[in-house]
Amino acid sequence: MTRFHIANMTCGHCKASVEKAVTALDDDAELDFDMETREVEIDSTASKSAILSALDAAGYPAAEI
């Protein structure tokens, strides 16, 4: 499980876009969102670098924390 901070994730639409970007890499990925802190915990078989790239391409650049 890896935790990421996504500074511009502010609403439900953002959350859905992040989820779509990650599940495109791994259909079985599990995401746990904390919208107050703008963080998401992701359990996936995809690599961290692939997840970061997918989030960036979706317009949600992230930083691993």
Side-chain angles (χ1 to χ4, degrees), residues 26-53:
D26 174 8
D27 286 336
D28 296 323
E30 293 183 21
L31 293 84
D32 183 26
F33 291 89
D34 184 339
M35 296 302 288
E36 284 185 29
T37 62
R38 298 180 183 179
E39 295 177 0
V40 60
E41 197 169 66
I42 302 173
D43 186 11
S44 173
T45 58
S47 70
K48 292 175 192 175
S49 62
I51 291 171
L52 288 168
S53 293

Side-chain angles (χ1 to χ4, degrees), residues 9-23:
M9 182 176 67
T10 60
C11 66
H13 174 71
C14 299
K15 179 181 173 183
S17 296
V18 167
E19 191 166 23
K20 182 178 178 180
V22 174
T23 57

